[in-house]
Amino acid sequence: MDGIVLLKEDHKTVEKLFKQFEKAGDNAHAEKKRIADQVIEELTTHTWIEEKIFFPAAREAAPDTKDHVLESIEEHHVVLWMLSELKDLDPSDERFDAKMSVLMENVRHHVEEEEKEWFPDVRKAMGRNRLTELGEQMEAAKKKAPGSPLAVPSAKK
């Protein structure tokens, strides 16, 4: 699978989870916790494969997108810390829904920038064969991703 397609599929998966969270009732604490836990797992894995494999390859192939990569790493930093806080927050806590809402806003903004502004430049610079190779590497790396959001490199910066 093409690396950009793989990342977009991850984006779709997370967006579906966001919509489920938004549809859950105000007092659906167990359901919201289950969904949040899935979001944490998906986004931790996604940010990890982007940072370990995709970002370095994109910077090499399209050096003029360096600023986008650096901004993405900073956005990851914020999201990963929010994920780590959500992981330990009781879903009945009054801040749980608010924290999840801010997380969704941040992730949706990040996804829109990647898909509309950055991915087209990277696709042009890399070509199909390189993107397919990256997709295979990222798919294999998903199995090695850490369970904790704070284990992703950008969380430490």
Side-chain angles (χ1 to χ4, degrees), residues 78-90:
V78 171
V79 164
L80 291 162
W81 276 92
M82 291 182 77
L83 293 175
S84 74
E85 292 170 3
L86 268 171
K87 191 172 188 170
D88 298 325
L89 193 60
D90 188 300

Side-chain angles (χ1 to χ4, degrees), residues 135-154:
E136 290 167 5
Q137 288 175 9
M138 289 190 294
E139 188 63 49
K142 281 186 172 195
K143 297 173 188 82
K144 301 173 190 164
S148 168
L150 298 184
V152 177
S154 66

Side-chain angles (χ1 to χ4, degrees), residues 43-100:
L43 287 176
T44 299
T45 299
H46 179 81
T47 57
W48 193 78
I49 64 169
E50 273 191 330
E51 290 180 24
K52 288 290 195 179
I53 299 167
F54 193 75
F55 287 174
R59 277 184 79 163
E60 184 180 317
D64 55 331
T65 68
K66 177 183 106 176
D67 288 345
H68 182 88
V69 172
L70 295 174
E71 183 180 327
S72 289
I73 288 170
E74 293 307 315
E75 289 172 349
H76 282 187
H77 177 80
V78 171
V79 164
L80 291 162
W81 276 92
M82 291 182 77
L83 293 175
S84 74
E85 292 170 3
L86 268 171
K87 191 172 188 170
D88 298 325
L89 193 60
D90 188 300
S92 63
D93 186 300
E94 66 179 359
R95 296 171 305 143
F96 190 86
D97 285 0
K99 195 171 290 290
M100 191 68 175

Side-chain angles (χ1 to χ4, degrees), residues 1-6 49 53-54 57 60 123 126-141:
M1 180 187 290
D2 173 318
I4 289 175
V5 172
L6 181 140
I49 64 169
I53 299 167
F54 193 75
E60 184 180 317
R123 178 172 296 290
M126 282 194 186
R128 189 174 45 180
N129 290 342
R130 179 68 177 127
L131 283 169
T132 300
E133 181 183 301
L134 277 179
E136 290 167 5
Q137 288 175 9
M138 289 190 294
E139 188 63 49

